[in-house]
Amino acid sequence: MARGDLTNSEWAQLEPHLPKNTSRGARWKRHRQVINGILFRMRTGIPWRDLPRRFGSWQTCYDRHRRWSADGTWERIVRAVQAGADADGRIDWSLVSVDSPVCRAHQHAAGARKQAPRKTGKRTRPAQHRPEEALGRSRGGLTTKIHLAGEGGLRPVAMLVTPGQWGDAPPQMIPVLERLRVPRPDGGHPRTRPDHLSGDKAYSSHRNRRCLRRRQIKHTIPERRDQQAHRLRRGSNGGRPTGFDAARYARGNEVERLLGRLKANRAVARCFDKRAYVFYGAVTVAALRLWLCA
């Protein structure tokens, strides 16, 4: 076992949730070897063709990563691992924080075909396909933004990728929370609400607060100065000031530390993939490793 490969304990958690060789065609090569190759590429950010020979064919590693990113296999595996962690009480629901780091996109990430991609052997499109391929153009060049919600144990529970110039609120916080679904192994509805949610001033908007109140989610989001001034100008029609818990807001460093752990993977810190669903798969693989290490 080389540096960065799956340990025996991590493999024991992961193996029960992997797809089986039940479909027609040639049998898949050993999952553990291929996944170690995918993890090596996520950690180092090297081109797929430069994978060391000990992982087998680079084409096999790339094809499996792309296929599992397109059909949602990586997401299903992460949710299965999350369900096991929740059943064991290893998810800190006391505070979920939201944030959105910007990742620089390499020049090779541009130039994808205008024709929308399709799943291998099917006519349907990948679930995470985006027409703009999550590439934003600004003064600094090409950028991609990762919107995520992280629980208190420094692990992501919901993610979304968009172009880098897209704002945080109100457009993207609600879609991120809609992706928060942790299944329950014993049956029943999946868990979709944290006990408390925290975010910075970028998430302060009437639409976000109405959504959180409607879903009965307590939240700590500071009010921007322009919003405070507008409320005061309206007098009694402006409503009451929003509640703010300084102690909970101080825990906002948890999501910052989570972002640092995700960006330790160079294929996440900088986008090298032409297709948005492939980059989203890379972020999901990095998140899966954090859940396995817990």
Side-chain angles (χ1 to χ4, degrees):
M1 183 176 63
R3 175 177 177 270
D5 289 354
L6 290 169
T7 63
N8 292 332
S9 61
E10 291 174 346
W11 176 247
Q13 298 179 62
L14 181 61
E15 186 179 16
H17 309 300
L18 296 176
K20 309 299 181 183
N21 283 293
T22 56
S23 58
R24 296 184 298 176
R27 293 178 62 85
W28 283 336
K29 293 185 178 180
R30 291 184 303 171
H31 281 316
R32 188 168 185 174
Q33 180 186 19
V34 174
I35 293 176
N36 282 333
I38 296 173
L39 291 174
F40 183 87
R41 190 264 174 179
M42 295 303 120
R43 190 176 73 255
T44 60
I46 63 174
W48 287 99
R49 293 176 182 269
D50 295 338
L51 276 177
R53 292 185 178 274
R54 66 185 180 91
F55 299 117
S57 170
W58 70 268
Q59 186 74 46
T60 300
C61 296
Y62 169 71
D63 286 344
R64 195 164 305 179
H65 172 64
R66 179 179 55 82
R67 184 189 297 267
W68 286 4
S69 300
D71 61 13
T73 298
W74 285 128
E75 282 191 293
R76 288 192 292 270
I77 294 174
V78 169
R79 288 183 178 178
V81 175
Q82 289 175 344
D86 190 28
D88 296 337
R90 292 187 287 111
I91 296 183
D92 184 3
W93 292 107
S94 62
L95 182 69
V96 167
S97 303
V98 290
D99 205 348
S100 55
V102 175
C103 304
R104 290 294 301 273
H106 195 269
Q107 59 183 356
H108 294 165
R113 296 179 179 179
K114 294 183 179 180
Q115 183 179 4
R118 294 180 179 179
K119 295 181 183 178
T120 304
K122 299 181 180 180
R123 297 185 178 182
T124 56
R125 298 178 182 178
Q128 302 300 328
H129 168 65
R130 302 188 65 94
E132 76 288 335
E133 300 300 347
L135 286 181
R137 302 181 183 274
S138 61
R139 293 181 180 179
L142 300 175
T143 54
T144 299
K145 183 175 285 188
I146 305 173
H147 304 264
L148 62 85
E151 50 94 34
L154 306 184
R155 292 162 299 182
V157 290
M159 297 177 296
L160 175 69
V161 297
T162 65
Q165 78 276 11
W166 284 27
D168 298 338
Q172 305 309 319
M173 192 196 79
I174 297 175
V176 170
L177 292 180
E178 290 175 349
R179 289 169 176 253
L180 200 163
R181 300 180 63 85
V182 177
R184 302 179 191 270
D186 298 333
H189 294 287
R191 176 150 190 176
T192 59
R193 294 188 303 168
D195 296 335
H196 205 98
L197 185 133
S198 175
D200 56 24
K201 291 183 179 180
Y203 296 95
S204 177
S205 71
H206 295 296
R207 180 182 175 187
N208 283 346
R209 296 184 192 277
R210 283 198 304 268
C211 175
L212 294 172
R213 286 194 294 265
R214 184 173 64 252
R215 298 185 60 182
Q216 299 180 2
I217 300 176
K218 298 178 181 180
H219 56 278
T220 297
I221 301 176
E223 192 177 24
R224 298 200 309 266
R225 289 186 178 180
D226 60 329
Q227 294 177 345
Q228 294 177 1
H230 178 66
R231 175 173 50 79
L232 293 175
R233 283 197 302 268
R234 297 185 63 188
S236 59
N237 294 328
R240 295 177 298 178
T242 60
F244 182 76
D245 189 339
R248 290 185 184 272
Y249 188 70
R251 291 181 58 186
N253 69 87
E254 295 173 354
V255 69
E256 301 293 343
R257 290 152 58 194
L258 167 59
L259 298 177
R261 297 178 69 182
L262 283 177
K263 284 194 171 185
N265 299 275
R266 296 187 178 184
V268 175
R270 190 161 192 183
C271 176
F272 297 98
D273 303 298
K274 293 183 182 295
R275 295 295 189 182
Y277 75 91
V278 179
F279 178 68
Y280 180 80
V283 180
T284 306
V285 171
L288 174 62
R289 191 63 188 269
L290 295 181
W291 283 100
L292 295 177
C293 293

